[in-house]
Amino acid sequence: MSVADRRRTERLEADAAGVARAAEIIRAGGTVAMPTETVYGLGANALDPIAVANIFAAKERPNFDPLIVHVADRADLSRLLTADALADPRLALLAEALWPGPLTIVAAASDLVPPIVRAGLSTVGVRIPDHPIALAIIRAAATPIAAPSANRFGRLSPTRAEHVIADLDGRIDAIVDAGPTQVGVESTVIALQPGRPATLLRPGGIALEQLRTLLAPFGGIDVVAAGELGAAPLPAPGMTASHYAPRAAIRIAQGQHSFAGLARCALLGSDRTELSKLEAGAREAGVRVVTALPLSESLDPIAAAAALFEVLHRLDAALEGSDQASAIVASPYPDAGLGLAIADRLRRAAAATNGGVA
Ligand code: TXA
Ligand code: MG
């Protein structure tokens, strides 16, 4: 994040005025660190992709991990999940027994949830936090709030406002100080897929034993990488093969070989200027361009991050049904600020397909 991005971080009290101001900032697309019962979260309007991109910018995440969307009432889920996901009896059971509380449920997302929130996955993690201030802010903002832990990448999750300030002062719009959090570890994350046992993705504030008991009549719960539980944290989905990668091969453009062996391509420019260069390269190589899209008009990592997964999906769809002689060709993204996360995501997508780096 450049010096120009520094902002004054408002300190807000955990009272009615603080809640109202926090909600106002969220509605305006800003970022607010807020208490939950587990750890402090860095919140933004979950339905506003630019606001969500600002969360990643403040945290300096080198990659986009999916975020948990926080709601105040179960009724709010009806807009966020698919009808199938909403009909899963385990959702009602767990919500009844454990919400508000430190349990995150990952289930099929509706189209309303922007791809950057889900890091391009088809699922979204949701929870109702058990903290009066968090609930009041969500209700006053009248929108679901996406919030990862309010720490910079690689640092510990914050359990006090002072931890948040040490990491994020000058990078976020406000922090609501409600004293130390109660639970101190993050929520337990489980995935629900119709017709399959629930899966534990991350141990946390709700004990596995309790989930086993509750889910016993519904096929129980599978534990991924059981050997690692309690030792190392589970790998974040951003690091695993199940993470979103386009079906089409993707290449990072690199000089004259970028289009070698291709008959057709879809182009991804870091901005309009870079897109024009790619188009010229494709023309020179005699490769047909099916679609060409920039991540933003002029270079703007925040807007580009907000658009990345959407644009990848569109390019992927444009190449659907094409044979091996087709690929998405992307200009390399400059590494500064959120650019590092974008470049990393493109490199991973390239490595996950057989296109690799041209
Ligand atoms: O207690 C908590 O969960 C805190 C408070 C602020 O709510 N939040 C938190 O968020 O710990 P974060 O971003 O640090 O961790 C969220 C984790 C991801 O790393 C991932 O493991 C899982 O939740 N997750 C979220 N959405 C997912 C999805 N669609 N698929 C798989 N895992 C997901
Ligand atoms: Mg975290």
Side-chain angles (χ1 to χ4, degrees), residues 230-350:
L234 296 173
M239 307 296 166
T240 66
S242 67
H243 201 69
Y244 173 75
R247 275 179 306 251
I250 170 161
R251 297 180 176 190
I252 312 296
Q254 222 174 58
Q256 62 198 63
H257 301 301
S258 306
F259 296 92
L262 295 182
R264 73 196 69 69
C265 63
L267 301 178
L268 174 67
S270 42
D271 63 9
R272 281 275 169 213
T273 309
E274 292 306 312
L275 190 60
S276 302
K277 289 186 198 162
L278 288 176
E279 283 170 321
R283 213 164 29 238
E284 214 168 288
V287 176
R288 188 161 78 84
V289 177
V290 178
T291 316
L293 294 172
L295 284 176
S296 57
E297 289 303 315
S298 52
L299 201 68
D300 176 352
I302 302 261
L308 178 65
F309 294 108
E310 198 108 45
V311 168
L312 279 174
H313 273 289
R314 284 172 60 188
L315 296 174
D316 203 19
L319 286 176
E320 193 164 340
S322 297
D323 57 17
Q324 294 215 314
S326 69
I328 296 168
V329 180
S331 53
Y333 208 90
D335 266 357
L338 265 199
L340 182 62
I342 296 168
D344 178 87
R345 207 54 208 91
L346 287 172
R347 273 195 298 269
R348 278 176 199 283

Side-chain angles (χ1 to χ4, degrees), residues 157-169:
S157 287
T159 54
R160 324 181 67 100
E162 295 78 37
H163 301 157
V164 180
I165 289 165
D167 260 18
L168 298 176
D169 193 22

Side-chain angles (χ1 to χ4, degrees), residues 33 40 45 53 104 140 143 156 188 190 199 206 227 254 288 300 312-313:
Y40 275 76
N45 180 354
T104 294
T143 186
L156 294 176
T188 300
I190 68 165
T199 313
I206 295 286
Q254 222 174 58
R288 188 161 78 84
D300 176 352
L312 279 174
H313 273 289

